[in-house]
Amino acid sequence: MGGLWGSVRVGATLAVASVMIAALPAVAQACPQPWTSQPVSDTIKNVNGIDALSPDDAWAVGILRGVPQQVATLHWDGTAWTTIPGANPNAGDDNVLSAVAAVAADNVWAVGYTSHTVRAQAVQRDVHRTLIEHWDGTSWTAVPSPNVGKGSNVLVSIAAAGPDDVWAVGYTAKTKKRTTLVIHWNGASWSVVPSPSPGSKSNGLLGVAAAAGGEVWAVGYRSSGRGYHPLRLHRLAGTWTVVGASGDARGERVLTSVSLDASGAWAAGYATVGAEYRSLVQRWDGSRWSQTPTPSTGDGYTMLRAVSGGASAAWAAGTAWDEAEEAYMPVILEWDGTAWSTSEPAPVQFKGELLAAAIDDGISWVGGRPGIIQSTACGVAAAEPGPRSAGSQPARAAAASSGVEDLAVQAGIAETTLTWGVLTADLTGDGLDDIFLGRHQQTARLYRNNGDGTFTEIHAGEFPRHDRHRCVAAQFDGGGGLDLFCAVGSSAGTQTRIHELWLQQPDGSFANRTAAAGLADPYGRGRSAVAFDADGDGATDLYVVSEGDRPDGMPSPNRLFLNTGGGQFVSDPGAGADLETRGRCAAAGDVDADGDQDLVLCDAPGLRLLRNDGGVFHDATSSMPVGGTTMALTIADVTGDGHADLVRATPDSLQICPGPLAATSTCLVDAVPGVVAVAVGDANGDGLTDLYGVVGAAGSAANGDDILELGSPTGAFSRVTLDTTNDGAADAAAPVDIDGDGRDEFVVTNGFDVVPGPVSLIRLLGDGTG
């Protein structure tokens, strides 16, 4: 909701919402007053939206701290912000408010989403549904809100042109396409209003502005699979029009907010130039959109989430990366009628980002994460407000259960912890595989392999607490030692964040160079990564896999980053691999034996093959011999014939599809349910490839016993059921030879996501034959 800076009384929730007026201040001047922080309860995690009716009547909405997430609503009475209880209709799961529009003291609307956990074919995922709440002057109440289809529906922004003319926008996610969502309040009920979705793959609306008389602007993004471009929808006389602008096709450009005024409109967001993210502000003069220059801020990454004002004066707010602080910091820009300049926000204790902005009779507000509200006293005397605006072989008989040893205690790696994957690789350069334990939401641990069955933690504390997910190791900068890349989440899609690229230094230490390398990916909900040579130039590239359903509406696709040398990367959306998926898993390998490394994705609802043709990827899923829900996969030569084979786990089986893959290929199938991760190694020291399967709950309350698929000279496999822990939540496994005897042990983690579990080090007793 964007209002005017200066002489008119109007509130705004921008980037996440926008309310407009139709009059401009008579006098334009730069704001001479500093920004000051306003105390709010330490229970507030995010301030996502703000709107003000007067200097002593304003509202802010967002999220409370804690799990599950619950709505936060705060009221300003002219002296202090007070937390007011909101409605949380989805008990036991997330309830989040993203934007607010105040029509009157007893008529305030807020929109957002609730999260419903659904389970289908052993796959658990969150589906978001619209949330609308109303303040009647006494209490907040959840009111019926429409949804389209059975997939995610999220409301991101709201604008009120009058008590019977309120608009809210966001997106709805179908199986393989995201489309725009627009709903309208007519004074009696909310209903869906059909809206354009010109992108063939993805469309989302992040900001809306409305004025009396029926004019509405909504902005966001569109994609047809090769990058994101601005989406601007204009509604007049009941008809939507898609409005373009010069420069729309250059790089990635996303509009996050819009503000409407008497002479035109503002839109703000970000644009990529090479590896950099830069602030983007555009002006509609009544006939066309044009870009207005903004000052350089941040160290390579600046994104705006809010804009408010008119042709004479305006604010824009967002976040910028500060390399010295190694964090995103709030950023505010001011328009004085001629040019944009930086305006220094008040210092913040915990760093952060700005997500919303508002204006009333001489007070301007910004809000954000974590629990930030700041204000500045600027403006002129109040005026009357303007209008508010597969073929398979038979299942084989399982071998008898086999004994195992858990060596974690004597090896020095035992603990009960949260995890999201585990990595083994020779990170110390001594010829022995070490263990990197990412430890979800905690400091990571690097264990050096001593070669005698024990490990020693090194670089303790060097890898700080993070929403860290799966990691990969490779030489990314061309140096002698292996480097690390870890995909990082974004607090359930509610914040800006940065992945981790740890480059190994000459002394064996690791330095985080993510931002400088061009790998920040600020809005990606990172889940895993694949290190491979995508373009055949000999350098190791990165494919970062993300959860595509980000409930604040920002785009979160898988991204291909090409290594340009020396540890520098550039995003390559034109390669055709930047797709929105469920982020479960991915693997690379030459599955068609043409010399190029292909990608296979655990897409929802099935499996997807992206065939690599000289660095350009094409969907070749129709040539896969199998499909359907996939829990885990790996690509390796497990049959020993020199070709890359596909190994995947479905909810009820483990499958091996020998390469080269073709639609007519025959896959080996073992009917074992509940496998959630697969690792490749030699468990019995016979020189043949074995598969370790980590088995989850599979419909029961506890993990199942893990399995081994033992290889044979004929290429067949026989299953061995292992006596392993049933505690925690099954997560991942990785092979490691702990004593140089030619037999692989397996590091197994059982603390997936939010359920702590034990770290095990599993050794097979005997040869697994009984």
Side-chain angles (χ1 to χ4, degrees):
M1 298 203 338
L4 293 188
W5 186 97
S7 66
V8 292
R9 178 180 66 80
V10 59
T13 303
L14 292 202
V16 247
S18 306
V19 143
M20 311 298 113
I21 65 175
L24 288 174
V27 179
Q29 63 180 47
C31 175
Q33 302 297 325
W35 289 90
T36 59
S37 291
Q38 300 298 324
V40 298
S41 169
D42 60 8
T43 64
I44 307 301
K45 175 185 176 181
N46 275 32
V47 173
N48 292 332
I50 303 180
D51 194 17
L53 286 165
S54 70
D56 58 2
D57 189 3
W59 286 94
V61 300
I63 316 171
L64 293 172
R65 296 185 185 276
V67 178
Q69 297 182 128
Q70 302 289 274
V71 303
T73 57
L74 301 92
H75 183 254
W76 171 259
D77 62 5
T79 303
W81 286 97
T82 303
T83 302
I84 305 295
N88 289 286
N90 193 23
D93 226 326
D94 288 347
N95 297 267
V96 172
L97 292 176
S98 299
V100 62
V103 181
D106 60 354
N107 187 6
V108 183
W109 291 99
V111 298
Y113 61 91
T114 66
S115 292
H116 299 261
T117 301
V118 298
R119 188 178 181 90
Q121 290 186 294
V123 178
Q124 181 173 300
R125 63 188 180 94
D126 287 338
V127 173
H128 312 296
R129 308 297 278 175
T130 59
L131 173 63
I132 301 178
E133 299 193 9
H134 184 253
W135 172 261
D136 61 5
T138 302
S139 63
W140 286 95
T141 304
V143 302
S145 57
N147 291 276
V148 178
K150 296 181 179 180
S152 285
N153 285 248
V154 169
L155 296 174
V156 181
S157 180
I158 187 171
D164 58 356
D165 190 12
V166 186
W167 294 85
V169 301
Y171 72 87
T172 178
K174 300 178 181 179
T175 300
K176 291 187 178 180
K177 182 178 180 180
R178 183 190 303 263
T179 56
T180 60
L181 176 63
V182 177
I183 67 172
H184 181 252
W185 172 259
N186 62 5
S189 64
W190 289 92
S191 60
V192 174
V193 176
S195 55
S197 292
S200 63
K201 297 292 185 182
S202 182
N203 305 265
L205 295 174
L206 303 175
V208 63
E215 183 178 12
V216 182
W217 277 100
V219 301
Y221 56 86
R222 55 182 172 82
S223 173
S224 293
R226 300 186 184 274
Y228 291 85
H229 305 294
L231 176 58
R232 307 175 197 83
L233 302 183
H234 191 208
R235 186 178 177 89
L236 280 176
T239 301
W240 291 107
T241 302
V242 178
V243 180
S246 60
D248 276 358
R250 297 199 305 267
E252 178 168 312
R253 291 173 173 237
V254 172
L255 297 175
T256 61
S257 177
V258 63
S259 173
L260 181 62
D261 58 79
S263 61
W266 289 106
Y270 66 84
T272 62
V273 180
E276 293 189 353
Y277 282 62
R278 298 180 182 177
S279 58
L280 173 65
V281 180
Q282 298 180 338
R283 179 68 180 168
W284 170 257
D285 64 5
S287 59
R288 68 184 184 94
W289 285 95
S290 59
Q291 185 167 332
T292 58
T294 54
S296 175
T297 58
D299 295 314
Y301 303 91
T302 301
M303 295 79 63
L304 298 176
R305 298 291 297 274
V307 68
S308 175
S312 300
W315 295 106
T319 189
W321 177 256
D322 187 317
E323 187 66 25
E325 295 284 349
E326 293 188 350
Y328 289 102
M329 302 293 286
V331 62
I332 302 174
L333 304 182
E334 180 186 1
W335 174 259
D336 64 3
T338 302
W340 289 97
S341 61
T342 57
S343 181
E344 189 69 23
V348 292
Q349 182 178 1
F350 301 107
K351 301 149 183 152
E353 56 186 309
L354 298 177
L355 304 169
I359 185 73
D360 61 32
D361 300 331
I363 299 180
S364 297
W365 299 98
V366 292
R369 173 188 172 90
I372 300 171
I373 296 183
Q374 296 187 2
S375 65
T376 182
C378 286
V380 295
E384 289 300 315
R388 293 189 66 85
S389 54
S392 62
Q393 296 179 357
R396 296 154 294 160
S401 295
S402 182
V404 295
E405 290 180 281
D406 188 345
L407 304 177
V409 173
Q410 51 264 53
I413 66 169
E415 67 173 311
T416 296
T417 183
L418 297 178
T419 56
W420 199 311
V422 61
L423 170 68
T424 55
D426 182 10
L427 293 166
T428 55
D430 59 2
L432 302 173
D433 280 345
D434 310 298
I435 301 171
F436 186 79
L437 190 63
R439 300 177 77 232
H440 185 221
Q441 298 287 4
Q442 300 168 80
T443 57
R445 301 192 194 281
L446 174 55
Y447 291 104
R448 182 185 62 218
N449 189 339
N450 299 321
D452 60 0
T454 67
F455 292 80
T456 301
E457 185 177 1
I458 58 176
H459 305 304
E462 193 166 291
F463 307 98
R465 179 177 179 175
H466 220 165
D467 189 11
R468 186 180 294 107
H469 296 145
R470 302 195 190 279
C471 306
V472 293
Q475 288 186 350
F476 293 119
D477 63 354
L482 293 180
D483 310 305
L484 288 165
F485 178 86
C486 298
V488 175
S490 58
S491 188
T494 62
Q495 72 175 77
T496 309
R497 61 96 202 88
I498 188 168
H499 295 307
E500 293 180 325
L501 175 66
W502 296 96
L503 297 182
Q504 189 165 172
Q505 305 302 294
D507 64 357
S509 64
F510 290 82
N512 192 336
R513 296 290 184 262
T514 314
L519 289 170
D521 188 16
Y523 298 106
R525 295 182 66 185
R527 292 297 181 264
S528 64
V530 180
F532 74 118
D533 185 1
D535 54 3
D537 66 354
T540 302
D541 308 308
L542 274 166
Y543 187 64
V544 182
V545 181
S546 293
E547 164 61 67
D549 193 0
R550 186 180 168 105
D552 67 356
M554 301 300 289
S556 175
N558 299 348
R559 290 188 187 274
L560 176 63
F561 292 95
L562 297 182
N563 191 333
T564 60
Q568 298 294 306
F569 292 80
V570 62
S571 177
D572 186 18
D578 289 15
L579 306 176
E580 293 178 8
T581 71
R582 296 300 307 185
R584 191 172 302 120
C585 55
D590 186 9
V591 299
D592 57 2
D594 69 348
D596 292 324
Q597 297 290 298
D598 309 300
L599 284 167
V600 181
L601 313 182
C602 294
D603 201 7
L607 200 62
R608 183 180 297 188
L609 169 62
L610 299 181
R611 191 182 302 279
N612 187 348
D613 183 10
V616 178
F617 292 83
H618 305 281
D619 194 320
T621 304
S622 60
S623 65
M624 293 284 281
V626 290
T629 300
T630 302
M631 307 301 297
L633 66 82
T634 188
I635 297 174
D637 179 12
V638 300
T639 58
D641 64 356
H643 292 296
D645 308 313
L646 174 69
V647 181
R648 72 156 186 158
T650 74
D652 55 13
S653 69
L654 188 65
Q655 301 179 357
I656 301 171
C657 301
L661 292 184
T664 56
S665 298
T666 299
C667 301
L668 305 174
V669 177
D670 191 11
V672 52
V675 175
V676 298
V678 179
V680 177
D682 183 1
N684 56 9
D686 63 0
L688 301 173
T689 299
D690 308 315
L691 303 174
Y692 190 103
V694 183
V695 179
S700 65
N703 295 334
D705 291 331
D706 293 345
I707 65 163
L708 270 169
E709 296 279 357
L710 297 176
S712 71
T714 66
F717 289 81
S718 59
R719 189 205 323 162
V720 177
T721 301
L722 308 177
D723 184 12
T724 51
T725 181
N726 303 124
D727 296 334
D731 177 27
V736 58
D737 184 351
I738 66 174
D739 51 14
D741 67 353
R743 294 166 59 110
D744 283 324
E745 288 72 35
F746 290 86
V747 185
V748 182
T749 53
N750 294 282
F752 180 65
D753 196 9
V754 297
V755 180
V759 176
S760 298
L761 182 60
I762 301 300
R763 168 185 282 170
L764 178 68
L765 294 176
D767 60 7
T769 59

